Coordinates of all heavy atoms in Angstrom, one line a residue:
Q20 N -99.9 -151.4 92.1 CA -100.1 -152.2 90.8 C -100.5 -153.6 91.2 O -99.7 -154.3 91.8 CB -98.9 -152.2 89.9 CG -99.2 -152.8 88.6 CD -98.1 -152.4 87.6 OE1 -97.0 -152.0 87.9 NE2 -98.4 -152.6 86.3
A21 N -101.8 -153.9 90.9 CA -102.3 -155.3 91.1 C -101.9 -156.1 89.9 O -101.8 -155.6 88.8 CB -103.8 -155.2 91.3
P22 N -101.9 -157.4 90.0 CA -101.6 -158.3 88.9 C -102.5 -158.1 87.7 O -103.8 -158.0 87.9 CB -101.8 -159.7 89.4 CG -101.5 -159.6 90.9 CD -102.0 -158.2 91.2
G23 N -102.0 -157.9 86.5 CA -102.8 -157.7 85.3 C -103.4 -156.3 85.2 O -104.2 -156.1 84.3
K24 N -103.1 -155.4 86.1 CA -103.7 -154.1 86.0 C -102.6 -153.0 85.9 O -101.4 -153.3 86.2 CB -104.5 -153.8 87.3 CG -105.7 -154.7 87.4 CD -106.6 -154.2 88.6 CE -107.8 -155.1 88.7 NZ -108.7 -154.6 89.8
E25 N -102.9 -151.8 85.5 CA -102.0 -150.7 85.4 C -101.7 -150.2 86.8 O -102.5 -150.3 87.7 CB -102.6 -149.6 84.5 CG -102.7 -150.1 83.0 CD -103.1 -148.9 82.1 OE1 -103.4 -147.8 82.7 OE2 -103.1 -149.1 80.9
R26 N -100.6 -149.5 86.8 CA -100.2 -148.8 88.1 C -101.2 -147.7 88.3 O -101.5 -146.9 87.4 CB -98.8 -148.3 88.0 CG -98.2 -147.8 89.3 CD -96.7 -147.6 89.2 NE -96.0 -148.8 88.9 CZ -94.7 -148.9 88.9 NH1 -93.9 -147.9 89.2 NH2 -94.1 -150.1 88.6
E27 N -101.6 -147.6 89.6 CA -102.6 -146.5 89.9 C -102.2 -145.7 91.1 O -101.5 -146.2 92.0 CB -104.0 -147.2 90.1 CG -104.1 -148.1 91.3 CD -105.5 -148.7 91.5 OE1 -106.4 -148.5 90.6 OE2 -105.6 -149.5 92.4
F28 N -102.7 -144.5 91.1 CA -102.4 -143.5 92.1 C -103.1 -143.9 93.4 O -104.2 -144.3 93.4 CB -102.8 -142.2 91.7 CG -102.8 -141.1 92.8 CD1 -101.6 -140.6 93.2 CD2 -104.0 -140.7 93.4 CE1 -101.6 -139.7 94.3 CE2 -104.0 -139.8 94.4 CZ -102.8 -139.2 94.8
V29 N -102.4 -143.8 94.5 CA -102.9 -144.1 95.8 C -103.0 -142.8 96.7 O -104.1 -142.4 97.1 CB -102.1 -145.1 96.6 CG1 -102.7 -145.3 98.0 CG2 -102.2 -146.5 95.8
A30 N -101.9 -142.1 96.8 CA -101.8 -140.9 97.7 C -100.6 -140.1 97.3 O -99.6 -140.7 96.9 CB -101.8 -141.3 99.2
S31 N -100.7 -138.8 97.6 CA -99.5 -138.0 97.4 C -99.4 -136.9 98.5 O -100.5 -136.6 99.1 CB -99.5 -137.4 96.0 OG -100.5 -136.5 95.9
I32 N -98.3 -136.3 98.7 CA -98.0 -135.3 99.7 C -97.0 -134.3 99.2 O -96.1 -134.6 98.4 CB -97.5 -136.1 101.0 CG1 -97.5 -135.1 102.2 CG2 -96.2 -136.7 100.7 CD1 -97.3 -135.9 103.5
N33 N -97.2 -133.0 99.6 CA -96.3 -132.0 99.1 C -95.0 -132.1 99.9 O -94.9 -132.8 100.9 CB -97.0 -130.7 99.1 CG -97.1 -130.1 100.5 OD1 -97.3 -130.8 101.5 ND2 -97.1 -128.8 100.6
W34 N -94.1 -131.2 99.6 CA -92.7 -131.4 100.2 C -92.7 -131.1 101.7 O -92.0 -131.7 102.4 CB -91.7 -130.5 99.5 CG -91.9 -129.0 99.8 CD1 -92.8 -128.1 99.3 CD2 -91.1 -128.3 100.7 NE1 -92.6 -126.9 99.8 CE2 -91.6 -126.9 100.7 CE3 -90.0 -128.6 101.5 CZ2 -91.0 -125.9 101.5 CZ3 -89.5 -127.5 102.3 CH2 -90.0 -126.2 102.3
R35 N -93.6 -130.2 102.1 CA -93.7 -129.9 103.6 C -94.5 -130.9 104.4 O -94.4 -130.9 105.6 CB -94.2 -128.5 103.8 CG -93.2 -127.4 103.5 CD -93.8 -126.1 103.9 NE -92.9 -125.0 103.7 CZ -93.1 -123.7 104.1 NH1 -94.3 -123.4 104.6 NH2 -92.2 -122.8 103.9
G36 N -95.4 -131.6 103.6 CA -96.3 -132.5 104.3 C -97.6 -131.9 104.7 O -98.4 -132.6 105.4
G37 N -97.8 -130.7 104.4 CA -99.0 -130.0 104.8 C -100.2 -130.2 103.9 O -101.4 -130.0 104.3
L38 N -100.0 -130.7 102.7 CA -101.0 -131.0 101.7 C -101.0 -132.4 101.3 O -99.9 -133.0 101.0 CB -100.9 -130.1 100.5 CG -101.0 -128.6 100.8 CD1 -100.7 -127.8 99.5 CD2 -102.4 -128.2 101.3
T39 N -102.1 -133.1 101.3 CA -102.2 -134.5 100.9 C -103.4 -134.6 99.9 O -104.3 -133.9 99.9 CB -102.4 -135.4 102.1 OG1 -103.5 -135.1 102.8 CG2 -101.2 -135.3 103.0
Q40 N -103.3 -135.7 99.1 CA -104.5 -136.0 98.3 C -104.5 -137.6 98.2 O -103.5 -138.2 98.3 CB -104.4 -135.4 96.9 CG -103.3 -135.7 96.1 CD -103.3 -135.0 94.8 OE1 -102.3 -134.7 94.2 NE2 -104.5 -134.7 94.2
Y41 N -105.7 -138.1 98.0 CA -105.9 -139.5 98.0 C -106.9 -139.9 96.9 O -107.7 -139.2 96.4 CB -106.6 -140.0 99.3 CG -105.7 -139.7 100.5 CD1 -105.9 -138.5 101.2 CD2 -104.8 -140.6 101.0 CE1 -105.1 -138.2 102.4 CE2 -104.0 -140.3 102.1 CZ -104.2 -139.2 102.8 OH -103.4 -138.9 103.9
S42 N -106.7 -141.2 96.4 CA -107.7 -141.7 95.5 C -108.9 -142.0 96.3 O -108.9 -142.2 97.5 CB -107.1 -143.0 94.8 OG -106.9 -144.0 95.9
D43 N -110.0 -142.1 95.6 CA -111.3 -142.3 96.2 C -111.4 -143.6 96.9 O -112.0 -143.8 98.0 CB -112.4 -142.2 95.2 CG -112.7 -140.8 94.7 OD1 -112.3 -139.8 95.4 OD2 -113.3 -140.6 93.7
F44 N -110.7 -144.6 96.4 CA -110.8 -145.9 97.0 C -110.0 -146.1 98.3 O -110.2 -147.2 98.9 CB -110.5 -147.1 96.0 CG -109.2 -146.9 95.2 CD1 -108.0 -147.1 95.8 CD2 -109.3 -146.5 93.9 CE1 -106.8 -146.9 95.1 CE2 -108.1 -146.3 93.1 CZ -106.9 -146.5 93.7
V45 N -109.2 -145.2 98.6 CA -108.5 -145.3 99.9 C -108.8 -144.2 100.9 O -108.4 -144.2 102.0 CB -106.9 -145.4 99.7 CG1 -106.6 -146.5 98.8 CG2 -106.4 -144.1 99.3
K46 N -109.5 -143.2 100.4 CA -109.8 -142.0 101.2 C -110.5 -142.5 102.5 O -111.5 -143.2 102.4 CB -110.6 -141.0 100.4 CG -110.7 -139.6 101.0 CD -111.4 -138.7 100.0 CE -110.6 -138.6 98.7 NZ -111.3 -137.6 97.8
G47 N -110.0 -142.0 103.6 CA -110.6 -142.3 104.9 C -110.0 -143.6 105.5 O -110.3 -143.8 106.7
R48 N -109.3 -144.3 104.8 CA -108.7 -145.5 105.3 C -107.1 -145.4 105.3 O -106.5 -146.0 106.2 CB -109.0 -146.8 104.5 CG -110.5 -147.1 104.4 CD -110.8 -148.4 103.7 NE -110.4 -148.4 102.3 CZ -109.5 -149.2 101.8 NH1 -109.0 -150.2 102.5 NH2 -109.2 -149.2 100.5
F49 N -106.5 -144.8 104.4 CA -105.1 -144.6 104.3 C -104.7 -143.2 104.6 O -105.4 -142.2 104.4 CB -104.6 -144.9 102.9 CG -104.7 -146.4 102.4 CD1 -105.5 -147.3 103.2 CD2 -104.1 -146.8 101.2 CE1 -105.6 -148.6 102.7 CE2 -104.2 -148.1 100.8 CZ -105.0 -149.0 101.5
T50 N -103.5 -143.1 105.2 CA -102.9 -141.8 105.5 C -101.5 -141.7 105.1 O -100.7 -142.6 105.5 CB -103.0 -141.5 107.0 OG1 -104.4 -141.6 107.5 CG2 -102.5 -140.1 107.3
I51 N -101.2 -140.7 104.3 CA -99.8 -140.5 103.8 C -99.2 -139.4 104.7 O -99.8 -138.5 105.1 CB -99.7 -140.1 102.3 CG1 -98.3 -140.1 101.8 CG2 -100.5 -138.8 102.1 CD1 -98.2 -139.9 100.3
S52 N -97.9 -139.7 105.0 CA -97.2 -138.7 105.8 C -95.7 -138.8 105.5 O -95.3 -139.7 104.8 CB -97.4 -138.9 107.3 OG -97.0 -140.2 107.7
R53 N -94.9 -137.8 106.0 CA -93.5 -137.8 105.8 C -92.8 -137.2 106.9 O -93.3 -136.4 107.6 CB -93.2 -137.1 104.5 CG -93.5 -135.6 104.5 CD -93.4 -135.0 103.1 NE -92.0 -135.1 102.5 CZ -91.7 -135.0 101.3 NH1 -92.7 -134.7 100.4 NH2 -90.5 -135.1 100.9
D54 N -91.6 -137.6 107.1 CA -90.7 -137.1 108.1 C -89.4 -136.7 107.3 O -88.5 -137.5 107.0 CB -90.4 -138.1 109.2 CG -89.5 -137.5 110.3 OD1 -88.8 -136.5 110.1 OD2 -89.5 -138.1 111.4
N55 N -89.3 -135.4 107.0 CA -88.2 -134.9 106.2 C -86.9 -135.0 106.9 O -85.8 -135.2 106.3 CB -88.4 -133.5 105.7 CG -89.5 -133.5 104.6 OD1 -89.8 -134.5 104.0 ND2 -90.0 -132.3 104.4
A56 N -86.9 -135.0 108.2 CA -85.7 -135.1 109.0 C -85.1 -136.5 108.9 O -83.9 -136.7 108.9 CB -85.9 -134.8 110.5
K57 N -86.0 -137.5 108.6 CA -85.5 -138.8 108.5 C -85.5 -139.3 107.0 O -85.2 -140.4 106.7 CB -86.4 -139.8 109.3 CG -86.4 -139.6 110.8 CD -87.3 -140.6 111.5 CE -87.2 -140.4 113.0 NZ -88.1 -141.3 113.7
N58 N -85.9 -138.3 106.1 CA -86.0 -138.6 104.7 C -86.9 -139.9 104.5 O -86.5 -140.8 103.7 CB -84.7 -138.9 104.1 CG -84.1 -137.6 103.6 OD1 -84.7 -136.6 103.4 ND2 -82.8 -137.6 103.3
T59 N -88.0 -139.9 105.1 CA -88.9 -141.1 105.1 C -90.3 -140.7 104.8 O -90.8 -139.8 105.4 CB -88.8 -141.9 106.4 OG1 -87.4 -142.3 106.6 CG2 -89.6 -143.2 106.3
L60 N -90.9 -141.5 103.9 CA -92.3 -141.4 103.6 C -93.1 -142.5 104.2 O -92.6 -143.7 104.2 CB -92.5 -141.4 102.0 CG -93.8 -141.3 101.4 CD1 -94.5 -139.9 101.6 CD2 -93.8 -141.7 100.0
Y61 N -94.3 -142.3 104.6 CA -95.1 -143.4 105.2 C -96.5 -143.5 104.5 O -97.0 -142.5 103.9 CB -95.3 -143.1 106.7 CG -94.1 -143.0 107.5 CD1 -93.6 -141.7 107.8 CD2 -93.4 -144.1 107.9 CE1 -92.4 -141.5 108.6 CE2 -92.2 -143.9 108.7 CZ -91.7 -142.7 109.0 OH -90.6 -142.5 109.7
L62 N -97.0 -144.7 104.6 CA -98.4 -144.9 104.2 C -99.1 -145.8 105.3 O -98.8 -147.0 105.3 CB -98.6 -145.5 102.8 CG -100.0 -145.6 102.3 CD1 -100.6 -144.2 102.1 CD2 -100.0 -146.5 101.1

């Protein structure tokens, strides 16, 4: 969420981490991942 703007989607990942999706404006630049053993999500 940028100042004065609505909250917008960036990236999401399924519970296993095998499926991801990105907004067009970050695709190719951002990578979402997760480590369930550590209960941690990354971007």
Side-chain angles (χ1 to χ4, degrees):
Q20 188 166 17
K24 295 187 177 181
E25 294 187 351
R26 190 168 299 189
E27 62 182 3
F28 169 75
V29 175
S31 66
I32 189 168
N33 73 330
W34 74 281
R35 283 188 175 182
L38 296 174
T39 58
Q40 62 182 149
Y41 298 92
S42 63
D43 287 342
F44 48 75
V45 305
K46 198 173 294 183
R48 299 188 296 123
F49 292 10
T50 303
I51 188 172
S52 62
R53 66 190 298 164
D54 184 338
N55 285 344
K57 297 181 179 179
N58 272 345
T59 303
L60 176 73
Y61 302 99
L62 184 68

